[in-house]
Coordinates of all heavy atoms in Angstrom, one line a residue:
M1 N -6.3 -7.9 15.5 CA -5.8 -6.6 15.0 C -4.3 -6.9 14.5 O -3.5 -7.4 15.2 CB -5.8 -5.6 16.1 CG -5.5 -4.2 15.6 SD -6.7 -3.5 14.6 CE -5.7 -2.9 13.2
T2 N -4.1 -6.6 13.3 CA -2.7 -6.8 12.7 C -2.1 -5.4 12.4 O -2.8 -4.5 12.0 CB -2.7 -7.6 11.5 OG1 -3.6 -7.0 10.5 CG2 -3.2 -9.0 11.7
F3 N -0.9 -5.3 12.6 CA -0.2 -4.1 12.4 C 1.0 -4.3 11.4 O 1.4 -5.4 11.2 CB 0.4 -3.5 13.7 CG -0.7 -3.1 14.7 CD1 -1.1 -3.9 15.7 CD2 -1.3 -1.8 14.5 CE1 -2.1 -3.5 16.5 CE2 -2.3 -1.4 15.4 CZ -2.7 -2.3 16.4
C4 N 1.4 -3.2 10.7 CA 2.4 -3.3 9.7 C 3.7 -3.7 10.2 O 4.5 -4.4 9.6 CB 2.5 -2.0 8.9 SG 2.7 -0.6 10.0
C5 N 4.0 -3.3 11.5 CA 5.3 -3.7 12.1 C 5.2 -3.6 13.6 O 4.2 -3.1 14.1 CB 6.4 -2.7 11.5 SG 6.1 -1.0 11.9
E6 N 6.2 -4.1 14.2 CA 6.3 -4.1 15.7 C 6.2 -2.8 16.3 O 5.6 -2.5 17.3 CB 7.5 -4.9 16.2 CG 7.4 -6.4 16.0 CD 6.2 -7.0 16.8 OE1 6.1 -6.7 17.9 OE2 5.4 -7.8 16.2
M7 N 6.9 -1.8 15.7 CA 7.0 -0.5 16.2 C 5.6 0.1 16.2 O 5.2 0.7 17.2 CB 7.9 0.4 15.4 CG 9.4 0.3 15.7 SD 9.7 0.8 17.4 CE 9.7 2.6 17.2
M8 N 4.8 0.0 15.2 CA 3.5 0.5 15.1 C 2.6 -0.1 16.2 O 1.9 0.5 16.9 CB 2.9 0.3 13.7 CG 1.5 0.8 13.5 SD 1.4 2.6 13.8 CE 1.4 3.1 12.1
R9 N 2.7 -1.5 16.3 CA 1.9 -2.1 17.3 C 2.2 -1.6 18.7 O 1.4 -1.4 19.5 CB 2.1 -3.6 17.3 CG 1.2 -4.3 18.3 CD 1.1 -5.8 18.1 NE 2.3 -6.5 18.4 CZ 2.5 -7.8 18.2 NH1 1.5 -8.5 17.7 NH2 3.6 -8.4 18.4
D10 N 3.5 -1.5 18.9 CA 4.0 -1.0 20.2 C 3.4 0.4 20.5 O 2.9 0.6 21.6 CB 5.5 -0.8 20.1 CG 6.2 -1.3 21.3 OD1 6.1 -2.5 21.5 OD2 6.9 -0.5 21.9
K11 N 3.4 1.3 19.6 CA 2.9 2.6 19.8 C 1.4 2.6 20.0 O 0.8 3.3 20.8 CB 3.3 3.6 18.7 CG 4.8 3.7 18.5 CD 5.5 4.1 19.8 CE 7.0 4.2 19.6 NZ 7.6 4.3 20.9
V12 N 0.7 1.9 19.1 CA -0.8 1.9 19.1 C -1.3 1.2 20.4 O -2.3 1.7 21.0 CB -1.3 1.3 17.9 CG1 -2.9 1.1 18.0 CG2 -1.0 2.1 16.6
E13 N -0.6 0.2 20.8 CA -1.2 -0.6 21.9 C -0.6 -0.1 23.2 O -1.0 -0.6 24.3 CB -0.9 -2.1 21.7 CG -1.7 -2.7 20.6 CD -1.5 -4.2 20.5 OE1 -0.5 -4.7 21.0 OE2 -2.4 -4.8 19.9
A14 N 0.3 0.9 23.2 CA 0.9 1.4 24.4 C -0.3 1.9 25.3 O -1.1 2.6 24.9 CB 1.8 2.5 24.1
K15 N -0.2 1.4 26.5 CA -1.2 1.8 27.5 C -0.5 2.5 28.7 O 0.6 2.1 29.1 CB -2.0 0.6 28.1 CG -3.0 0.0 27.0 CD -4.2 0.9 26.9 CE -5.2 0.4 25.9 NZ -4.7 0.6 24.5
C16 N -1.1 3.6 29.1 CA -0.5 4.4 30.2 C -1.4 4.3 31.4 O -2.6 4.4 31.3 CB -0.3 5.8 29.7 SG 0.3 6.9 31.0
D17 N -0.8 4.1 32.6 CA -1.6 4.1 33.8 C -2.1 5.4 34.2 O -3.1 5.5 35.0 CB -0.7 3.6 35.0 CG -0.3 2.1 34.8 OD1 -1.0 1.4 34.0 OD2 0.7 1.7 35.4
Q18 N -1.5 6.5 33.8 CA -1.8 7.8 34.3 C -2.7 8.6 33.4 O -3.4 9.5 33.8 CB -0.5 8.6 34.5 CG 0.3 8.1 35.6 CD 1.8 8.4 35.4 OE1 2.2 9.5 35.2 NE2 2.6 7.4 35.4
H19 N -2.8 8.2 32.2 CA -3.7 8.9 31.2 C -4.6 8.0 30.5 O -4.2 7.2 29.7 CB -2.8 9.7 30.2 CG -1.8 10.5 30.8 ND1 -0.5 10.1 31.0 CD2 -1.8 11.8 31.3 CE1 0.2 11.1 31.6 NE2 -0.6 12.1 31.8
A20 N -5.9 8.1 30.8 CA -6.9 7.2 30.2 C -7.0 7.5 28.7 O -7.2 6.6 27.9 CB -8.2 7.3 30.9
D21 N -6.8 8.8 28.4 CA -7.0 9.2 27.0 C -5.6 9.4 26.4 O -4.7 10.1 26.9 CB -7.7 10.6 27.0 CG -8.0 11.0 25.6 OD1 -7.3 10.7 24.6 OD2 -9.0 11.8 25.5
S22 N -5.3 8.7 25.3 CA -4.0 8.8 24.6 C -3.6 10.3 24.3 O -2.4 10.6 24.4 CB -4.1 8.1 23.3 OG -4.4 6.7 23.5
F23 N -4.6 11.1 24.1 CA -4.3 12.5 23.7 C -3.8 13.3 24.9 O -3.2 14.3 24.8 CB -5.5 13.2 23.1 CG -5.8 12.8 21.7 CD1 -6.5 11.7 21.5 CD2 -5.3 13.5 20.7 CE1 -6.8 11.3 20.1 CE2 -5.5 13.2 19.4 CZ -6.3 12.0 19.1
D24 N -4.0 12.8 26.1 CA -3.5 13.4 27.3 C -2.1 12.9 27.7 O -1.5 13.5 28.6 CB -4.4 13.2 28.5 CG -5.8 13.9 28.4 OD1 -5.8 14.9 27.6 OD2 -6.7 13.4 28.9
C25 N -1.7 11.9 27.1 CA -0.4 11.3 27.5 C 0.7 11.7 26.6 O 0.7 11.4 25.4 CB -0.6 9.8 27.5 SG 1.0 9.0 28.0
P26 N 1.8 12.3 27.1 CA 2.9 12.8 26.3 C 3.7 11.6 25.7 O 4.4 11.8 24.8 CB 3.8 13.6 27.3 CG 3.3 13.2 28.6 CD 1.9 12.8 28.5
D27 N 3.5 10.4 26.3 CA 4.2 9.2 25.8 C 3.5 8.6 24.6 O 4.1 7.7 23.9 CB 4.4 8.2 26.9 CG 5.3 8.7 28.0 OD1 6.2 9.5 27.7 OD2 5.1 8.3 29.1
C28 N 2.3 9.0 24.4 CA 1.5 8.3 23.3 C 1.7 9.1 22.0 O 1.5 10.3 21.9 CB 0.0 8.3 23.6 SG -0.3 7.1 24.9
L29 N 2.2 8.4 21.0 CA 2.5 9.1 19.7 C 1.5 8.9 18.6 O 1.1 9.7 17.8 CB 3.8 8.6 19.1 CG 5.1 8.9 20.0 CD1 6.3 8.2 19.3 CD2 5.3 10.4 20.1
I30 N 0.9 7.6 18.6 CA 0.1 7.2 17.5 C -1.3 6.8 18.1 O -1.4 6.1 19.1 CB 0.6 6.1 16.7 CG1 2.0 6.4 16.2 CG2 -0.3 5.7 15.6 CD1 2.1 7.3 15.0
Y31 N -2.3 7.3 17.4 CA -3.7 6.8 17.8 C -4.3 6.1 16.6 O -4.2 6.6 15.5 CB -4.5 8.0 18.2 CG -6.0 7.7 18.4 CD1 -6.4 6.9 19.6 CD2 -7.0 8.0 17.5 CE1 -7.7 6.6 19.8 CE2 -8.3 7.7 17.7 CZ -8.6 6.9 18.8 OH -10.0 6.6 19.0
H32 N -4.9 5.0 16.9 CA -5.5 4.2 15.8 C -7.0 4.3 16.0 O -7.5 3.8 17.0 CB -5.0 2.8 15.8 CG -5.7 1.9 14.8 ND1 -6.2 0.7 15.2 CD2 -6.0 2.1 13.5 CE1 -6.8 0.1 14.1 NE2 -6.7 0.9 13.1
D33 N -7.7 4.8 15.0 CA -9.2 4.8 15.0 C -9.6 3.6 14.3 O -9.5 3.5 13.0 CB -9.7 6.1 14.4 CG -11.2 6.1 14.5 OD1 -11.8 5.1 14.8 OD2 -11.8 7.2 14.3
P34 N -10.2 2.6 15.0 CA -10.5 1.3 14.3 C -11.9 1.3 13.6 O -12.3 0.3 13.1 CB -10.5 0.3 15.5 CG -10.9 1.1 16.7 CD -10.4 2.5 16.4
D35 N -12.6 2.4 13.6 CA -13.9 2.5 13.0 C -13.8 2.0 11.5 O -13.1 2.6 10.7 CB -14.4 4.0 13.0 CG -15.8 4.1 12.4 OD1 -16.2 3.2 11.7 OD2 -16.4 5.1 12.8
P36 N -14.5 0.9 11.2 CA -14.3 0.4 9.9 C -14.7 1.3 8.7 O -14.3 1.2 7.6 CB -15.3 -0.9 9.9 CG -16.1 -0.8 11.1 CD -15.4 0.2 12.0
R37 N -15.6 2.2 9.0 CA -16.0 3.2 8.0 C -15.0 4.3 7.8 O -15.0 5.1 6.8 CB -17.4 3.8 8.3 CG -18.5 2.8 8.1 CD -19.7 3.3 8.9 NE -19.4 3.6 10.3 CZ -20.2 4.2 11.1 NH1 -21.3 4.6 10.8 NH2 -19.8 4.4 12.4
D38 N -14.2 4.5 8.8 CA -13.3 5.7 8.8 C -12.0 5.3 9.5 O -11.5 6.0 10.4 CB -14.0 6.9 9.5 CG -13.2 8.1 9.3 OD1 -12.4 8.2 8.3 OD2 -13.3 9.1 10.1
E39 N -11.5 4.1 9.2 CA -10.3 3.7 9.9 C -9.1 4.5 9.5 O -8.9 4.9 8.4 CB -9.9 2.2 9.5 CG -8.7 1.7 10.3 CD -8.4 0.3 9.9 OE1 -9.1 -0.3 9.0 OE2 -7.4 -0.3 10.5
R40 N -8.3 4.9 10.5 CA -7.1 5.7 10.2 C -6.1 5.7 11.4 O -6.5 5.3 12.5 CB -7.5 7.1 9.9 CG -8.2 7.8 11.0 CD -8.8 9.1 10.6 NE -9.9 9.5 11.6 CZ -10.4 10.7 11.6 NH1 -10.0 11.6 10.8 NH2 -11.3 11.0 12.5
Y41 N -4.9 6.1 11.0 CA -3.9 6.3 12.0 C -3.5 7.7 12.1 O -3.4 8.4 11.1 CB -2.6 5.5 11.6 CG -2.8 4.0 11.7 CD1 -3.5 3.3 10.7 CD2 -2.3 3.2 12.8 CE1 -3.6 1.9 10.8 CE2 -2.5 1.9 12.9 CZ -3.1 1.2 11.8 OH -3.3 -0.2 11.9
V42 N -3.4 8.2 13.3 CA -3.0 9.6 13.4 C -1.8 9.8 14.3 O -1.6 9.0 15.3 CB -4.2 10.5 13.9 CG1 -5.4 10.3 13.0 CG2 -4.6 10.2 15.3
L43 N -1.1 10.9 14.1 CA 0.0 11.3 14.9 C -0.5 12.3 15.9 O -1.0 13.4 15.4 CB 1.1 11.9 14.0 CG 2.5 12.1 14.5 CD1 3.1 10.8 14.9 CD2 3.3 12.7 13.3
I44 N -0.4 12.0 17.1 CA -0.9 13.0 18.1 C 0.0 14.2 18.3 O 1.2 14.0 18.5 CB -1.1 12.2 19.5 CG1 -2.1 11.1 19.3 CG2 -1.6 13.2 20.6 CD1 -2.2 10.1 20.5
I45 N -0.6 15.3 18.3 CA 0.1 16.6 18.5 C -0.2 17.0 19.9 O -1.3 17.4 20.2 CB -0.2 17.7 17.5 CG1 0.0 17.2 16.1 CG2 0.5 18.9 17.8 CD1 -0.5 18.1 15.0
H46 N 0.8 17.0 20.8 CA 0.6 17.3 22.2 C 0.7 18.8 22.4 O 1.7 19.4 22.9 CB 1.6 16.6 23.1 CG 1.3 15.1 23.1 ND1 0.2 14.6 23.7 CD2 2.0 14.1 22.6 CE1 0.2 13.3 23.5 NE2 1.2 12.9 22.8
D47 N -0.4 19.5 22.0 CA -0.4 21.0 22.2 C -1.4 21.3 23.3 O -1.9 22.5 23.4 CB -0.8 21.7 20.9 CG -2.1 21.3 20.4 OD1 -2.8 20.4 21.0 OD2 -2.6 21.9 19.4
G48 N -1.8 20.3 24.1 CA -2.8 20.6 25.2 C -4.2 20.4 24.7 O -5.1 20.3 25.5
G49 N -4.4 20.2 23.4 CA -5.8 20.0 22.9 C -5.9 18.6 22.3 O -5.2 17.6 22.8
S50 N -6.6 18.4 21.3 CA -6.8 17.1 20.7 C -6.4 17.2 19.2 O -7.0 16.6 18.4 CB -8.2 16.6 20.9 OG -9.1 17.5 20.4
S51 N -5.3 17.9 18.9 CA -4.8 18.0 17.6 C -4.1 16.8 17.1 O -3.5 16.1 17.9 CB -3.8 19.2 17.4 OG -4.4 20.4 17.9
Y52 N -4.2 16.5 15.9 CA -3.5 15.3 15.3 C -3.3 15.5 13.8 O -3.9 16.4 13.2 CB -4.3 14.1 15.6 CG -5.6 14.0 14.9 CD1 -5.8 13.7 13.6 CD2 -6.8 14.3 15.7 CE1 -7.0 13.6 13.0 CE2 -8.0 14.2 15.1 CZ -8.1 13.9 13.7 OH -9.4 13.9 13.2
I53 N -2.4 14.8 13.3 CA -2.2 14.7 11.8 C -2.4 13.3 11.4 O -1.9 12.4 11.9 CB -0.7 15.1 11.5 CG1 -0.3 16.5 12.0 CG2 -0.5 15.0 10.0 CD1 1.2 16.8 11.8
A54 N -3.3 13.2 10.4 CA -3.6 11.8 9.9 C -2.3 11.4 9.1 O -1.8 12.2 8.4 CB -4.8 11.9 9.0
I55 N -1.9 10.2 9.3 CA -0.7 9.7 8.6 C -1.2 8.6 7.6 O -2.0 7.8 7.9 CB 0.4 9.2 9.5 CG1 -0.2 8.1 10.5 CG2 1.0 10.3 10.2 CD1 0.9 7.5 11.3
R56 N -0.5 8.7 6.5 CA -0.9 7.8 5.4 C 0.1 6.6 5.2 O -0.3 5.6 4.7 CB -0.9 8.6 4.1 CG -1.9 8.0 3.1 CD -2.1 9.0 2.0 NE -3.1 10.0 2.3 CZ -3.5 10.9 1.5 NH1 -3.0 11.0 0.3 NH2 -4.5 11.8 1.8
Y57 N 1.2 6.8 5.8 CA 2.2 5.8 5.7 C 2.9 5.6 7.1 O 3.1 6.6 7.8 CB 3.3 6.1 4.7 CG 2.8 6.2 3.3 CD1 2.4 7.5 2.8 CD2 2.7 5.1 2.5 CE1 1.9 7.6 1.5 CE2 2.2 5.2 1.2 CZ 1.8 6.4 0.7 OH 1.3 6.5 -0.6
C58 N 3.2 4.4 7.4 CA 3.9 4.1 8.6 C 5.2 4.8 8.7 O 6.0 4.7 7.8 CB 4.1 2.6 8.8 SG 5.0 2.2 10.3
P59 N 5.5 5.6 9.8 CA 6.7 6.3 9.9 C 7.9 5.4 10.0 O 9.1 5.8 9.8 CB 6.6 7.2 11.1 CG 5.2 6.9 11.7 CD 4.6 5.9 10.9
W60 N 7.7 4.2 10.4 CA 8.8 3.2 10.7 C 9.1 2.3 9.5 O 10.2 2.1 9.2 CB 8.5 2.4 12.0 CG 8.5 3.3 13.1 CD1 9.6 3.9 13.8 CD2 7.3 3.8 13.8 NE1 9.1 4.7 14.8 CE2 7.8 4.6 14.9 CE3 5.9 3.6 13.6 CZ2 6.9 5.3 15.7 CZ3 5.1 4.3 14.5 CH2 5.5 5.1 15.5
C61 N 8.0 1.8 8.9 CA 8.3 0.8 7.9 C 7.8 1.2 6.5 O 8.1 0.6 5.5 CB 7.7 -0.6 8.2 SG 5.9 -0.7 8.1
G62 N 7.0 2.3 6.5 CA 6.6 2.9 5.2 C 5.4 2.2 4.5 O 5.0 2.6 3.4
T63 N 4.8 1.3 5.2 CA 3.6 0.6 4.7 C 2.5 1.6 4.6 O 2.3 2.5 5.5 CB 3.2 -0.5 5.6 OG1 4.2 -1.5 5.7 CG2 1.9 -1.2 5.2
S64 N 1.7 1.6 3.5 CA 0.6 2.5 3.4 C -0.5 2.0 4.3 O -0.8 0.8 4.5 CB 0.1 2.6 1.9 OG -0.9 1.7 1.7
L65 N -1.1 3.0 5.0 CA -2.1 2.7 6.0 C -3.5 3.0 5.6 O -3.7 3.8 4.7 CB -1.8 3.6 7.3 CG -0.4 3.5 7.8 CD1 -0.1 4.6 8.8 CD2 -0.2 2.1 8.5
P66 N -4.5 2.4 6.2 CA -5.9 2.6 5.9 C -6.2 4.1 6.2 O -5.6 4.7 7.0 CB -6.7 1.7 6.7 CG -5.7 1.1 7.7 CD -4.3 1.4 7.3
G67 N -7.2 4.6 5.5 CA -7.6 6.0 5.7 C -8.0 6.6 4.4 O -8.1 6.0 3.4
D68 N -8.1 7.9 4.4 CA -8.4 8.7 3.2 C -7.3 8.5 2.2 O -6.2 8.9 2.5 CB -8.7 10.1 3.5 CG -10.0 10.4 4.3 OD1 -10.9 9.6 4.0 OD2 -10.0 11.3 5.1
V69 N -7.6 8.0 1.1 CA -6.6 7.9 0.0 C -7.1 8.5 -1.3 O -7.2 7.9 -2.3 CB -6.2 6.4 -0.2 CG1 -5.3 5.9 0.9 CG2 -7.5 5.5 -0.3
D70 N -7.5 9.8 -1.1 CA -8.2 10.4 -2.2 C -7.2 10.8 -3.4 O -7.7 11.1 -4.5 CB -8.9 11.7 -1.8 CG -8.1 12.5 -0.8 OD1 -6.9 12.6 -1.0 OD2 -8.7 13.1 0.1
D71 N -6.0 10.6 -3.2 CA -5.1 10.9 -4.3 C -4.6 9.6 -5.0 O -3.8 9.7 -5.9 CB -3.9 11.7 -3.9 CG -3.0 11.0 -2.9 OD1 -3.4 9.8 -2.5 OD2 -1.9 11.5 -2.5
E72 N -5.3 8.5 -4.7 CA -5.0 7.3 -5.4 C -6.2 7.0 -6.3 O -7.3 6.8 -5.9 CB -4.9 6.1 -4.4 CG -3.5 6.0 -3.9 CD -3.3 4.7 -3.1 OE1 -4.1 3.8 -3.2 OE2 -2.4 4.7 -2.3
D73 N -5.9 7.1 -7.6 CA -7.0 6.8 -8.6 C -6.8 5.6 -9.4 O -6.9 5.6 -10.6 CB -7.2 8.1 -9.5 CG -5.9 8.4 -10.2 OD1 -4.9 7.7 -10.0 OD2 -5.9 9.3 -11.0
D74 N -6.4 4.5 -8.7 CA -6.2 3.2 -9.4 C -7.5 2.4 -9.4 O -7.5 1.2 -9.7 CB -5.1 2.5 -8.7 CG -5.4 2.2 -7.3 OD1 -6.4 2.7 -6.8 OD2 -4.6 1.5 -6.6
T75 N -8.7 3.1 -9.1 CA -9.9 2.4 -9.1 C -10.5 2.3 -10.6 O -11.5 1.6 -10.8 CB -10.9 3.1 -8.2 OG1 -11.0 4.4 -8.6 CG2 -10.6 2.9 -6.8
T76 N -9.9 2.9 -11.5 CA -10.4 2.9 -12.9 C -9.9 1.7 -13.7 O -10.3 1.5 -14.8 CB -10.0 4.2 -13.6 OG1 -8.6 4.4 -13.5 CG2 -10.7 5.4 -13.0
A77 N -9.0 0.9 -13.1 CA -8.4 -0.2 -13.8 C -9.5 -1.2 -14.3 O -10.4 -1.4 -13.5 CB -7.4 -0.9 -13.0
Ligands
ZN1 ZN1 5.0 -0.1 10.1
ZN2 ZN1 0.8 8.9 30.2

């Protein structure tokens, strides 16, 4: 698994002893869904549920991330 930057790796790979699920842990900011058909990075919203915002660019280094890129139409080249 490669990450765009150390910060991203740090956040995605952060493991907590007290919360098996990243969504339950207030210290977990980023969740990475590695599903090859639907890979994406999301920002966890700690509202007590499982809300999140899909992020398209790394908040730390600005690298564009895998995921839905429906506003990119460079496939016509
Ligand atoms: Zn990054
Ligand atoms: Zn925790």
Side-chain angles (χ1 to χ4, degrees):
M1 192 65 229
T2 57
F3 293 97
C4 54
C5 62
E6 285 300 312
M7 278 299 281
M8 181 61 101
R9 181 165 70 185
D10 224 59
K11 299 304 177 192
V12 171
E13 292 187 338
K15 288 283 178 285
C16 176
D17 293 340
Q18 291 153 55
H19 307 94
D21 188 333
S22 299
F23 284 85
D24 291 335
C25 180
D27 294 329
C28 290
L29 296 177
I30 305 284
Y31 172 73
H32 173 230
D33 183 347
D35 185 337
R37 288 161 307 170
D38 190 25
E39 184 181 2
R40 60 189 160 169
Y41 291 80
V42 304
L43 194 61
I44 299 170
I45 302 173
H46 291 291
D47 62 355
S50 54
S51 305
Y52 62 81
I53 300 172
I55 52 174
R56 208 167 276 185
Y57 298 93
C58 174
W60 295 284
C61 75
T63 297
S64 96
L65 301 169
D68 288 329
V69 282
D70 45 36
D71 65 355
E72 273 188 21
D73 58 358
D74 58 357
T75 51
T76 52

